[in-house]
Amino acid sequence: MSTAVTTSEAARGGPGPGCAAPRHVAVIMDGNGRWAAQRGLPRREGHRRGVEALRRTVRAAGALGIGILTIFSFSSENWSRPPSEISDLMGLLRRFIRNDLVDLHKSNVKVRVIGERTTLSPDIAGLLREAEDLTRANTGLVLVVAFNYGSRQEIARAAQRLAAEVAAGRLAPEAITAELISSRLDAPDIPDPDLIIRTSGEQRLSNFLLWQAAYSELVFVPLYWPEFDQAALEGAIAEYRRRERRFGGLAAAGAGT
């Protein structure tokens, strides 16, 4: 069962007897617009403050020893938003890469990008490629940026790749397994997330990492994304560590289902 966590739980909810610390944390960064609306500010200010929260979270992830941080930065459904908002979001992406990429590189952060790139404008696709190329050899925190990403679309792309192999006679249909599908996803070498956090109190995945989330722990935080900080991340991790992950098995001999 998913649980909403407040930031105050970070102080009192230290490591419990359940899970070890998560290696891979994924975040649905939700609530920029509502944060701004509550304060009578334009939505673009909410998105700008959301970038500041992202900077804090990347630093916190490194400080807490998280190996992989995946962020849902722009979904394939976000193109339906007003053109002015999309323009603001693309501008923030450009500024983030231009202003923060050097610092990420100096901090040994490795950037990976998942999502559909063939439909992106050349300048945006080029910036994403630049971020990956510059940091490719880094060995610290892996920052996975889900951009123009939708999980159903990712699974469809994997199915298309396998279908092409079947049509070419290189693969028998009965040879297709869950493991083979996983190997055709956007980043097959990245392990599945141990913990998925969603801010703003909404309790759904919204087409994010549906395949990879099969056994992820879900924590829903009632803060809007611009309010998210290291204390909130620590609180979500503390909740995660209180749980027992059984992966469909039993926690211990004689335990119930």
Side-chain angles (χ1 to χ4, degrees), residues 203-222:
Q203 299 190 13
R204 56 181 178 269
L205 289 177
S206 296
N207 201 21
F208 181 55
L209 301 180
L210 300 179
W211 182 276
Q212 298 89 335
Y215 288 102
S216 301
E217 296 294 327
L218 310 180
V219 172
F220 302 105
V221 179

Side-chain angles (χ1 to χ4, degrees), residues 5-7 10 197 221 223 227-237:
V5 183
T6 64
T7 53
I197 301 167
V221 179
L223 296 173
E227 302 168 313
F228 197 80
D229 56 13
Q230 181 162 336
L233 179 58
E234 289 175 343
I237 291 172

Side-chain angles (χ1 to χ4, degrees), residues 111-115 117 128-129 131-132 143-147 186-187:
V111 178
R112 297 283 300 274
V113 180
I114 59 175
R117 299 197 216 186
L128 297 175
R129 186 167 55 251
E132 287 187 306
L143 177 62
V144 182
V145 179
F147 187 85
D186 289 354

Side-chain angles (χ1 to χ4, degrees), residues 163-177:
E165 293 184 45
V166 171
R170 296 190 299 270
L171 181 68
E174 60 271 17
I176 297 175
T177 62

Side-chain angles (χ1 to χ4, degrees), residues 27 29 50-66 68-71 96 100 103-105 107-111 141-145 225 228-230 233:
V27 184
M29 306 180 295
V51 171
E52 293 178 2
L54 173 58
R55 293 188 182 108
R56 292 195 300 267
T57 303
V58 171
R59 288 194 297 267
L64 295 171
I66 293 168
I68 304 165
L69 176 67
T70 296
I71 57 167
F96 178 77
D100 292 66
D103 288 338
L104 290 172
H105 184 43
S107 299
N108 200 28
V109 173
K110 181 175 185 174
V111 178
L141 172 73
V142 178
L143 177 62
V144 182
V145 179
W225 176 246
F228 197 80
D229 56 13
Q230 181 162 336
L233 179 58

Side-chain angles (χ1 to χ4, degrees), residues 106-173:
K106 288 180 179 177
S107 299
N108 200 28
V109 173
K110 181 175 185 174
V111 178
R112 297 283 300 274
V113 180
I114 59 175
E116 176 58 57
R117 299 197 216 186
T118 59
T119 57
L120 296 176
S121 64
D123 67 320
I124 294 296
L127 285 171
L128 297 175
R129 186 167 55 251
E130 176 187 349
E132 287 187 306
D133 290 345
L134 179 63
T135 64
R136 192 175 305 279
N138 291 348
T139 58
L141 172 73
V142 178
L143 177 62
V144 182
V145 179
F147 187 85
N148 194 25
Y149 176 84
S151 189
R152 288 180 173 179
Q153 293 86 336
E154 179 189 26
I155 294 168
R157 288 194 297 274
Q160 290 165 1
R161 291 166 187 142
L162 290 171
E165 293 184 45
V166 171
R170 296 190 299 270
L171 181 68

